[in-house]
């Protein structure tokens, strides 16, 4: 009987302990729920969090509008406008603004809920340093691509040469630039590898043509024939800005001399203009030679007829 009574007493003690713990926990929870200062802090923190979020959204919208107006103003003031450049730069600036503002907002929100941001910033710095060392080429490509677009070094459709690669720009990205050569090859060049660029589409080109002339043809006659062939060429080829200039003799030898012609033409049209000038001059010289040959043949025929008539008499 004693063991049973002892066990029963033990059970009652456990129940009382459990009840006491439950009451104590209930009191603690009630004290927490009834803590006016805690609820005031939560309310003010929530209010500050909402204010921080709203202010961040307003700042982002205002900066977006400033970027749009600035890009529109710059686009209106440009004579040679590339709309894709302004769109790309605007989007890059908007993304940078959004990332910066949201990052600051997250730090402020973490500080509002009593989370230390110092260790987080230190960890982020170490992580960024490690990523920077591991992706130096990528970072260089992106930064170079950004400045290529920002400074308008070249645009889509321009003919450029960088290093040994020459072609028409098909795509300008933040990491790579795609060129298409006149033979159809596609060159994909990392922006970080673009050290220097020659842009053939920024301004008018200068077509230079050297025409060899026979030494038995006088200089005045050859210049006259060349100028005669160039009359109206700006109407036949709209890429020619003005009538070409005949500079005169460029070089000479005992058998021939070279007459140089220069013509200002539209960007990236030098080769076609040079072919047009050479074709027109060639036709004029051929016509002149045929005329001389016909005149010689006619004179020889007349001389022969006169000789036959004299012999017959």
């Amino acid at each position: 009987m004693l063991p049973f009574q002892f066990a029963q007493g033990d059970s009652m003690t456990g129940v009382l302990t459990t009840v006491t713990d439950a009451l104590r926990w209930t009191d603690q929870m009630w004290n927490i729920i009834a803590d006016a200062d805690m609820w005031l802090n939560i309310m003010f923190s929530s209010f500050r969090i909402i204010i921080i979020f709203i202010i961040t959204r307003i700042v982002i919208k205002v900066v977006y509008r400033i970027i749009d107006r600035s890009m529109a103003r710059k686009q209106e003031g440009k004579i040679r406008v590339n709309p894709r450049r302004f769109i790309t730069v605007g989007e890059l600036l908007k993304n940078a603004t959004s990332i910066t503002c949201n990052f600051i907002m997250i730090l402020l929100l973490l500080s509002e809920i009593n989370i230390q941001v110092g260790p987080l910033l230190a960890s982020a710095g170490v992580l960024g340093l490690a990523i920077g060392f591991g992706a130096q080429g990528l970072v260089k490509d992106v930064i170079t691509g950004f400045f290529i677009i920002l400074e308008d070094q070249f645009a889509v459709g321009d003919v450029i040469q960088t290093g040994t690669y020459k072609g028409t720009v098909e795509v300008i990205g933040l990491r790579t630039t795609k060129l298409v050569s006149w033979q159809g090859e596609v060159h994909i060049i990392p922006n970080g590898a673009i050290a220097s660029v020659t842009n053939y589409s920024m301004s008018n080109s200068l077509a230079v043509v050297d025409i060899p002339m026979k030494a038995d043809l006088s200089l005045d006659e050859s210049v006259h024939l060349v100028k005669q062939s160039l009359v109206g060429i700006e109407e036949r080829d709209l890429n020619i800005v003005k009538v070409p200039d005949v500079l005169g003799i460029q070089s000479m030898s005992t058998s021939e001399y070279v007459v140089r012609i220069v013509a200002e033409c539209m960007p990236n049209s030098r080769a076609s203009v040079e072919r047009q000038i050479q074709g027109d001059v060639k036709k004029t010289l051929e016509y002149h030679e045929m005329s001389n040959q016909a005149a010689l043949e006619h004179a020889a025929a007349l001389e022969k007829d006169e000789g036959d008539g004299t012999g017959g008499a």
Side-chain angles (χ1 to χ4, degrees), residues 201-268:
S201 302
M202 292 289 287
S203 60
N204 288 342
S205 301
L206 189 67
V208 180
V209 179
D210 290 334
I211 305 295
M213 297 290 184
K214 294 179 181 180
D216 56 359
L217 190 66
S218 67
L219 178 60
D220 292 337
E221 187 177 5
S222 63
V223 171
H224 174 72
L225 289 173
V226 171
K227 288 183 176 180
Q228 183 181 352
S229 68
L230 299 177
V231 173
I233 192 173
E234 68 273 11
E235 298 176 359
R236 296 192 295 273
D237 192 337
L238 298 179
N239 288 319
I240 299 176
V241 177
K242 60 182 180 180
V243 179
D245 295 327
V246 181
L247 300 183
I249 295 179
Q250 178 65 21
S251 62
M252 61 183 300
S253 65
T254 56
S255 59
E256 65 177 16
Y257 57 90
V258 176
V259 176
R260 170 159 290 186
I261 307 167
V262 296
E264 185 179 354
C265 55
M266 298 296 291
N268 197 35

Side-chain angles (χ1 to χ4, degrees), residues 272-287:
S272 64
V273 169
E274 289 177 352
R275 287 193 293 269
Q276 179 72 39
I277 294 174
Q278 290 172 350
D280 290 351
V281 173
K282 175 64 174 172
K283 291 177 182 178
T284 302
L285 293 177
E286 286 178 349
Y287 178 77

Side-chain angles (χ1 to χ4, degrees), residues 75-96:
Q75 187 171 352
E76 290 174 358
K78 288 281 186 179
I79 298 176
R80 181 177 174 269
V81 176
N82 179 21
R84 292 188 58 177
R85 172 199 170 222
F86 293 102
I87 293 173
T88 304
V89 173
E91 290 300 323
L92 289 175
L93 293 176
K94 288 180 181 180
N95 290 336

